[in-house]
Short mmCIF file of all heavy atoms in Angstrom, two decimals:
data_model
loop_
_atom_site.label_atom_id
_atom_site.label_comp_id
_atom_site.label_asym_id
_atom_site.label_seq_id
_atom_site.Cartn_x
_atom_site.Cartn_y
_atom_site.Cartn_z
N GLY A 1 13.27 -7.87 9.34
CA GLY A 1 11.85 -8.01 9.60
C GLY A 1 11.18 -6.74 10.07
O GLY A 1 9.98 -6.80 10.38
N VAL A 2 11.87 -5.60 10.15
CA VAL A 2 11.28 -4.36 10.61
C VAL A 2 11.16 -3.38 9.39
O VAL A 2 12.18 -2.99 8.83
CB VAL A 2 12.14 -3.73 11.72
CG1 VAL A 2 11.49 -2.40 12.16
CG2 VAL A 2 12.28 -4.66 12.89
N LEU A 3 9.93 -3.03 9.07
CA LEU A 3 9.72 -2.15 7.89
C LEU A 3 9.30 -0.77 8.38
O LEU A 3 8.38 -0.64 9.19
CB LEU A 3 8.61 -2.74 7.03
CG LEU A 3 8.80 -4.14 6.52
CD1 LEU A 3 7.65 -4.55 5.59
CD2 LEU A 3 10.15 -4.30 5.77
N GLU A 4 9.98 0.24 7.80
CA GLU A 4 9.61 1.64 8.11
C GLU A 4 8.23 1.97 7.53
O GLU A 4 7.78 1.32 6.57
CB GLU A 4 10.67 2.58 7.51
CG GLU A 4 12.04 2.46 8.12
CD GLU A 4 13.03 3.39 7.42
OE1 GLU A 4 12.64 4.04 6.37
OE2 GLU A 4 14.20 3.44 7.83
N GLN A 5 7.69 3.04 8.01
CA GLN A 5 6.43 3.51 7.47
C GLN A 5 6.58 3.85 5.97
O GLN A 5 5.65 3.51 5.18
CB GLN A 5 6.02 4.84 8.22
CG GLN A 5 4.70 5.41 7.77
CD GLN A 5 3.50 4.61 8.27
OE1 GLN A 5 3.30 4.45 9.44
NE2 GLN A 5 2.72 4.07 7.35
N THR A 6 7.67 4.42 5.53
CA THR A 6 7.89 4.72 4.17
C THR A 6 7.91 3.45 3.27
O THR A 6 7.43 3.49 2.13
CB THR A 6 9.14 5.53 3.92
OG1 THR A 6 10.23 4.84 4.55
CG2 THR A 6 9.02 6.93 4.53
N THR A 7 8.52 2.38 3.81
CA THR A 7 8.56 1.14 3.03
C THR A 7 7.14 0.50 2.95
O THR A 7 6.80 0.00 1.85
CB THR A 7 9.51 0.14 3.74
OG1 THR A 7 10.83 0.72 3.82
CG2 THR A 7 9.61 -1.18 2.99
N VAL A 8 6.40 0.55 4.04
CA VAL A 8 5.03 0.06 4.00
C VAL A 8 4.22 0.83 2.95
O VAL A 8 3.45 0.23 2.18
CB VAL A 8 4.40 0.19 5.37
CG1 VAL A 8 2.90 -0.13 5.31
CG2 VAL A 8 5.08 -0.78 6.37
N ASP A 9 4.38 2.14 2.89
CA ASP A 9 3.65 2.92 1.95
C ASP A 9 4.04 2.53 0.53
O ASP A 9 3.17 2.54 -0.40
CB ASP A 9 3.92 4.41 2.14
CG ASP A 9 3.38 4.91 3.47
OD1 ASP A 9 2.48 4.24 4.07
OD2 ASP A 9 3.84 5.98 3.92
N LEU A 10 5.33 2.28 0.25
CA LEU A 10 5.79 1.90 -1.09
C LEU A 10 5.16 0.54 -1.48
O LEU A 10 4.86 0.28 -2.64
CB LEU A 10 7.28 1.85 -1.14
CG LEU A 10 7.93 1.64 -2.51
CD1 LEU A 10 7.58 2.76 -3.42
CD2 LEU A 10 9.45 1.49 -2.37
N LEU A 11 5.13 -0.40 -0.55
CA LEU A 11 4.51 -1.69 -0.84
C LEU A 11 3.04 -1.55 -1.19
O LEU A 11 2.53 -2.28 -2.03
CB LEU A 11 4.73 -2.63 0.33
CG LEU A 11 6.20 -2.98 0.63
CD1 LEU A 11 6.33 -3.78 1.92
CD2 LEU A 11 6.85 -3.76 -0.54
N ASP A 12 2.36 -0.66 -0.50
CA ASP A 12 1.00 -0.35 -0.85
C ASP A 12 0.91 0.13 -2.27
O ASP A 12 0.04 -0.33 -3.08
CB ASP A 12 0.42 0.70 0.08
CG ASP A 12 -0.12 0.18 1.37
OD1 ASP A 12 -0.65 -0.95 1.35
OD2 ASP A 12 -0.03 0.88 2.41
N GLN A 13 1.77 1.04 -2.69
CA GLN A 13 1.79 1.60 -4.00
C GLN A 13 2.10 0.52 -5.03
O GLN A 13 1.53 0.55 -6.14
CB GLN A 13 2.88 2.66 -4.10
CG GLN A 13 3.07 3.30 -5.49
CD GLN A 13 4.26 4.21 -5.54
OE1 GLN A 13 4.69 4.77 -4.55
NE2 GLN A 13 4.85 4.38 -6.71
N ALA A 14 2.92 -0.44 -4.68
CA ALA A 14 3.26 -1.56 -5.61
C ALA A 14 2.18 -2.60 -5.71
O ALA A 14 2.24 -3.48 -6.60
CB ALA A 14 4.56 -2.21 -5.16
N GLY A 15 1.17 -2.51 -4.83
CA GLY A 15 0.11 -3.44 -4.90
C GLY A 15 0.43 -4.86 -4.28
O GLY A 15 -0.18 -5.87 -4.67
N VAL A 16 1.40 -4.88 -3.36
CA VAL A 16 1.80 -6.18 -2.79
C VAL A 16 1.70 -6.18 -1.29
O VAL A 16 2.35 -7.00 -0.61
CB VAL A 16 3.27 -6.52 -3.21
CG1 VAL A 16 3.34 -6.76 -4.71
CG2 VAL A 16 4.24 -5.40 -2.81
N ALA A 17 0.85 -5.31 -0.72
CA ALA A 17 0.80 -5.18 0.72
C ALA A 17 -0.37 -5.90 1.42
O ALA A 17 -0.50 -5.82 2.63
CB ALA A 17 0.76 -3.72 1.07
N GLU A 18 -1.23 -6.56 0.60
CA GLU A 18 -2.43 -7.11 1.21
C GLU A 18 -2.14 -8.14 2.35
O GLU A 18 -2.67 -7.98 3.42
CB GLU A 18 -3.26 -7.80 0.10
CG GLU A 18 -4.65 -8.27 0.58
CD GLU A 18 -4.65 -9.61 1.29
OE1 GLU A 18 -3.79 -10.44 0.96
OE2 GLU A 18 -5.48 -9.80 2.15
N ARG A 19 -1.25 -9.07 2.10
CA ARG A 19 -0.96 -10.07 3.12
C ARG A 19 -0.23 -9.46 4.31
O ARG A 19 -0.46 -9.79 5.47
CB ARG A 19 -0.17 -11.24 2.54
CG ARG A 19 -0.07 -12.47 3.51
CD ARG A 19 0.36 -13.67 2.78
NE ARG A 19 1.78 -13.64 2.37
CZ ARG A 19 2.77 -14.31 3.00
NH1 ARG A 19 2.46 -14.99 4.09
NH2 ARG A 19 3.98 -14.22 2.57
N MET A 20 0.71 -8.54 4.00
CA MET A 20 1.43 -7.85 5.06
C MET A 20 0.46 -7.07 5.96
O MET A 20 0.58 -7.13 7.20
CB MET A 20 2.43 -6.88 4.47
CG MET A 20 3.16 -5.99 5.47
SD MET A 20 4.06 -4.63 4.72
CE MET A 20 2.67 -3.65 4.09
N ARG A 21 -0.48 -6.40 5.39
CA ARG A 21 -1.50 -5.63 6.14
C ARG A 21 -2.32 -6.59 6.99
O ARG A 21 -2.76 -6.23 8.13
CB ARG A 21 -2.39 -4.85 5.23
CG ARG A 21 -1.73 -3.68 4.54
CD ARG A 21 -1.45 -2.57 5.48
NE ARG A 21 -1.01 -1.32 4.84
CZ ARG A 21 -0.61 -0.27 5.50
NH1 ARG A 21 -0.52 -0.28 6.84
NH2 ARG A 21 -0.24 0.82 4.86
N ARG A 22 -2.52 -7.82 6.54
CA ARG A 22 -3.36 -8.77 7.25
C ARG A 22 -2.68 -9.47 8.37
O ARG A 22 -3.27 -9.66 9.45
CB ARG A 22 -3.93 -9.77 6.22
CG ARG A 22 -4.86 -10.81 6.79
CD ARG A 22 -5.71 -11.49 5.70
NE ARG A 22 -4.92 -11.70 4.48
CZ ARG A 22 -4.21 -12.77 4.22
NH1 ARG A 22 -4.09 -13.76 5.13
NH2 ARG A 22 -3.55 -12.93 3.08
N VAL A 23 -1.41 -9.88 8.19
CA VAL A 23 -0.73 -10.69 9.21
C VAL A 23 0.47 -10.00 9.84
O VAL A 23 0.99 -10.49 10.83
CB VAL A 23 -0.30 -12.07 8.62
CG1 VAL A 23 -1.50 -12.76 8.01
CG2 VAL A 23 0.80 -11.89 7.56
N GLY A 24 0.95 -8.88 9.27
CA GLY A 24 2.07 -8.18 9.86
C GLY A 24 1.73 -7.58 11.22
O GLY A 24 0.57 -7.38 11.54
N LEU A 25 2.72 -7.28 12.00
CA LEU A 25 2.54 -6.75 13.34
C LEU A 25 2.92 -5.31 13.40
O LEU A 25 4.07 -4.95 13.21
CB LEU A 25 3.38 -7.55 14.35
CG LEU A 25 3.20 -9.08 14.39
CD1 LEU A 25 4.19 -9.70 15.33
CD2 LEU A 25 1.80 -9.45 14.71
N LEU A 26 1.96 -4.39 13.65
CA LEU A 26 2.25 -3.02 13.79
C LEU A 26 2.79 -2.75 15.20
O LEU A 26 2.22 -3.16 16.19
CB LEU A 26 1.00 -2.15 13.52
CG LEU A 26 0.65 -1.89 12.07
CD1 LEU A 26 -0.72 -1.21 11.99
CD2 LEU A 26 1.71 -1.00 11.42
N HIS A 27 3.90 -1.99 15.26
CA HIS A 27 4.49 -1.66 16.57
C HIS A 27 4.54 -0.17 16.74
O HIS A 27 4.89 0.58 15.85
CB HIS A 27 5.94 -2.24 16.67
CG HIS A 27 5.99 -3.70 16.96
ND1 HIS A 27 7.13 -4.32 17.40
CD2 HIS A 27 5.00 -4.66 16.95
CE1 HIS A 27 6.85 -5.58 17.62
NE2 HIS A 27 5.55 -5.79 17.35
N ASP A 28 4.14 0.24 17.97
CA ASP A 28 4.14 1.71 18.29
C ASP A 28 5.39 2.11 19.03
O ASP A 28 5.58 3.32 19.27
CB ASP A 28 2.94 2.01 19.20
CG ASP A 28 1.61 1.81 18.47
OD1 ASP A 28 1.60 1.85 17.24
OD2 ASP A 28 0.60 1.61 19.17
N GLY A 29 6.22 1.21 19.49
CA GLY A 29 7.40 1.54 20.25
C GLY A 29 8.47 0.48 20.25
O GLY A 29 8.25 -0.60 19.73
N ILE A 30 9.58 0.79 20.90
CA ILE A 30 10.67 -0.17 21.21
C ILE A 30 11.06 -0.02 22.67
O ILE A 30 10.70 0.98 23.30
CB ILE A 30 11.86 0.03 20.27
CG1 ILE A 30 12.46 1.41 20.49
CG2 ILE A 30 11.53 -0.25 18.87
CD1 ILE A 30 13.78 1.65 19.70
N GLU A 31 11.77 -0.97 23.17
CA GLU A 31 12.27 -0.90 24.55
C GLU A 31 13.79 -0.95 24.57
O GLU A 31 14.43 -1.76 23.86
CB GLU A 31 11.69 -2.01 25.38
CG GLU A 31 10.18 -1.92 25.55
CD GLU A 31 9.63 -2.95 26.55
OE1 GLU A 31 9.73 -4.15 26.25
OE2 GLU A 31 9.10 -2.53 27.59
N LEU A 32 14.38 -0.05 25.38
CA LEU A 32 15.84 -0.10 25.65
C LEU A 32 16.07 -0.65 27.01
O LEU A 32 15.44 -0.21 28.01
CB LEU A 32 16.39 1.35 25.55
CG LEU A 32 16.23 2.10 24.24
CD1 LEU A 32 16.88 3.46 24.32
CD2 LEU A 32 16.86 1.29 23.03
N CYS A 33 16.91 -1.65 27.07
CA CYS A 33 17.18 -2.30 28.37
C CYS A 33 18.66 -2.01 28.77
O CYS A 33 19.57 -2.25 28.00
CB CYS A 33 16.96 -3.85 28.23
SG CYS A 33 17.31 -4.75 29.73
N PHE A 34 18.81 -1.45 29.94
CA PHE A 34 20.16 -1.25 30.48
C PHE A 34 20.07 -1.06 32.01
O PHE A 34 19.00 -0.67 32.52
CB PHE A 34 20.90 -0.06 29.86
CG PHE A 34 20.16 1.30 30.04
CD1 PHE A 34 20.49 2.13 31.07
CD2 PHE A 34 19.16 1.67 29.16
CE1 PHE A 34 19.82 3.34 31.25
CE2 PHE A 34 18.50 2.87 29.32
CZ PHE A 34 18.84 3.73 30.36
N GLY A 35 21.10 -1.40 32.72
CA GLY A 35 21.07 -1.33 34.20
C GLY A 35 20.01 -2.13 34.83
O GLY A 35 19.48 -1.83 35.91
N GLY A 36 19.63 -3.22 34.16
CA GLY A 36 18.66 -4.17 34.76
C GLY A 36 17.23 -3.75 34.60
O GLY A 36 16.33 -4.34 35.22
N ALA A 37 16.95 -2.71 33.79
CA ALA A 37 15.54 -2.22 33.66
C ALA A 37 15.26 -1.87 32.18
O ALA A 37 16.22 -1.57 31.45
CB ALA A 37 15.28 -1.02 34.54
N ARG A 38 14.01 -1.91 31.82
CA ARG A 38 13.62 -1.51 30.47
C ARG A 38 12.97 -0.14 30.45
O ARG A 38 12.28 0.27 31.39
CB ARG A 38 12.60 -2.54 29.92
CG ARG A 38 13.27 -3.73 29.28
CD ARG A 38 12.28 -4.73 28.69
NE ARG A 38 11.68 -5.61 29.68
CZ ARG A 38 10.61 -6.32 29.52
NH1 ARG A 38 9.90 -6.17 28.40
NH2 ARG A 38 10.18 -7.11 30.45
N HIS A 39 13.21 0.55 29.32
CA HIS A 39 12.65 1.91 29.17
C HIS A 39 12.02 1.99 27.77
O HIS A 39 12.72 1.71 26.77
CB HIS A 39 13.76 2.95 29.29
CG HIS A 39 14.60 2.81 30.53
ND1 HIS A 39 14.37 3.52 31.67
CD2 HIS A 39 15.65 1.97 30.80
CE1 HIS A 39 15.25 3.18 32.61
NE2 HIS A 39 16.04 2.25 32.12
N ARG A 40 10.79 2.37 27.68
CA ARG A 40 10.04 2.34 26.44
C ARG A 40 10.23 3.68 25.67
O ARG A 40 10.09 4.76 26.26
CB ARG A 40 8.56 2.09 26.64
CG ARG A 40 7.76 1.88 25.36
CD ARG A 40 6.38 1.41 25.63
NE ARG A 40 5.66 1.14 24.39
CZ ARG A 40 4.90 2.01 23.74
NH1 ARG A 40 4.76 3.25 24.23
NH2 ARG A 40 4.30 1.65 22.58
N ILE A 41 10.51 3.59 24.39
CA ILE A 41 10.50 4.74 23.47
C ILE A 41 9.22 4.66 22.66
O ILE A 41 9.01 3.73 21.90
CB ILE A 41 11.72 4.69 22.52
CG1 ILE A 41 13.07 4.64 23.33
CG2 ILE A 41 11.70 5.88 21.60
CD1 ILE A 41 13.30 5.87 24.19
N ASP A 42 8.30 5.58 22.91
CA ASP A 42 7.02 5.62 22.24
C ASP A 42 7.15 6.22 20.85
O ASP A 42 7.02 7.43 20.66
CB ASP A 42 5.99 6.42 23.07
CG ASP A 42 4.57 6.24 22.62
OD1 ASP A 42 4.37 5.99 21.42
OD2 ASP A 42 3.68 6.33 23.47
N LEU A 43 7.41 5.37 19.88
CA LEU A 43 7.62 5.86 18.53
C LEU A 43 6.45 6.68 17.98
O LEU A 43 6.61 7.70 17.36
CB LEU A 43 7.92 4.70 17.61
CG LEU A 43 9.10 3.80 17.94
CD1 LEU A 43 9.17 2.57 16.97
CD2 LEU A 43 10.42 4.53 17.87
N ARG A 44 5.28 6.15 18.21
CA ARG A 44 4.08 6.74 17.62
C ARG A 44 3.83 8.15 18.12
O ARG A 44 3.55 9.08 17.38
CB ARG A 44 2.85 5.85 17.92
CG ARG A 44 1.62 6.23 17.12
CD ARG A 44 0.50 5.22 17.26
NE ARG A 44 -0.62 5.55 16.44
CZ ARG A 44 -1.69 4.78 16.33
NH1 ARG A 44 -1.75 3.67 17.03
NH2 ARG A 44 -2.67 5.15 15.56
N SER A 45 3.89 8.33 19.46
CA SER A 45 3.61 9.64 20.00
C SER A 45 4.73 10.64 19.70
O SER A 45 4.45 11.84 19.55
CB SER A 45 3.39 9.57 21.52
OG SER A 45 4.61 9.21 22.17
N LEU A 46 5.96 10.16 19.58
CA LEU A 46 7.06 11.05 19.29
C LEU A 46 7.16 11.46 17.86
O LEU A 46 7.93 12.39 17.53
CB LEU A 46 8.36 10.41 19.75
CG LEU A 46 8.52 10.22 21.26
CD1 LEU A 46 9.70 9.28 21.58
CD2 LEU A 46 8.76 11.57 21.97
N THR A 47 6.48 10.74 16.94
CA THR A 47 6.64 11.03 15.51
C THR A 47 5.34 11.41 14.85
O THR A 47 5.22 11.34 13.59
CB THR A 47 7.22 9.81 14.77
OG1 THR A 47 6.31 8.69 14.91
CG2 THR A 47 8.59 9.43 15.34
N GLY A 48 4.35 11.82 15.62
CA GLY A 48 3.07 12.21 14.99
C GLY A 48 2.28 11.08 14.43
O GLY A 48 1.57 11.25 13.42
#
C-alpha cells in the first residue's frame, strides 16, 4: 500500500491516477520506534 513518487508519476502518465489522487494519503515521513521512543524521519525535507 505504499507507492513511491516514481510510481505515482507513472500512474499519472497511464491516466489511472484520478481516484488515487482524490482518496490516497500523502505522507511526508515515517517513524522509527526503538528503546521505547519514536523518532521521525522527515522524508520530504530530506529528499527535496
Side-chain angles (χ1 to χ4, degrees):
V2 180
L3 304 182
E4 295 176 356
Q5 182 74 60
T6 53
T7 302
V8 170
D9 294 342
L10 186 63
L11 296 172
D12 276 327
Q13 178 188 333
V16 293
E18 187 277 330
R19 190 164 72 102
M20 175 193 68
R21 290 289 191 186
R22 181 162 38 88
V23 305
L25 306 175
L26 278 172
H27 280 195
D28 295 337
I30 59 173
E31 294 188 296
L32 300 180
C33 179
F34 60 94
R38 276 183 275 164
H39 308 263
R40 186 171 185 268
I41 304 295
D42 192 331
L43 301 175
R44 189 172 187 178
S45 68
L46 291 167
T47 62

